[in-house]
Amino acid sequence: MNLTTAAPTPTAPTAAAPHIPAQPSVDITWNEAFCSEGANCFRFGLDDAGRAYIGSTLTPDAYVSDSVEALRALVRAVKAGAADHLL
């Protein structure tokens, strides 16, 4: 999975702040945001190459990307409780 932000840090990577390589500009078609209680809003998108994206409306220039199959597996795992220990 790839994590992308608009302005990657040019400093050396550390455990607390890993280096995020600059990604080429991508034209992402975002779906309408999905908001849960407390206005935690996430959006899902696709690019022309068929890669899938998940982003937060609070930080529109930051998102994770991977294949549609990989993000589908992530969503299924979260729905099945794989991340419940984080709550």
Side-chain angles (χ1 to χ4, degrees):
M1 224 176 279
N2 299 311
L3 172 66
T4 304
T5 61
T9 56
T11 59
T14 66
H19 174 70
I20 301 170
Q23 299 290 323
S25 179
V26 179
D27 186 25
I28 304 168
T29 302
W30 293 103
N31 292 342
E32 188 169 332
F34 169 79
C35 300
S36 63
E37 294 179 26
N40 296 316
C41 299
F42 294 90
R43 56 196 181 138
F44 299 90
L46 290 172
D47 66 17
D48 292 336
R51 290 189 60 80
Y53 297 81
I54 300 175
S56 168
T57 57
L58 296 176
T59 53
D61 292 330
Y63 47 80
V64 294
S65 66
D66 209 323
S67 68
V68 171
E69 296 80 17
L71 291 185
R72 185 178 291 130
L74 171 67
V75 170
R76 284 187 182 139
V78 169
K79 288 174 71 173
D84 286 355
H85 65 284
L86 300 173
L87 303 175

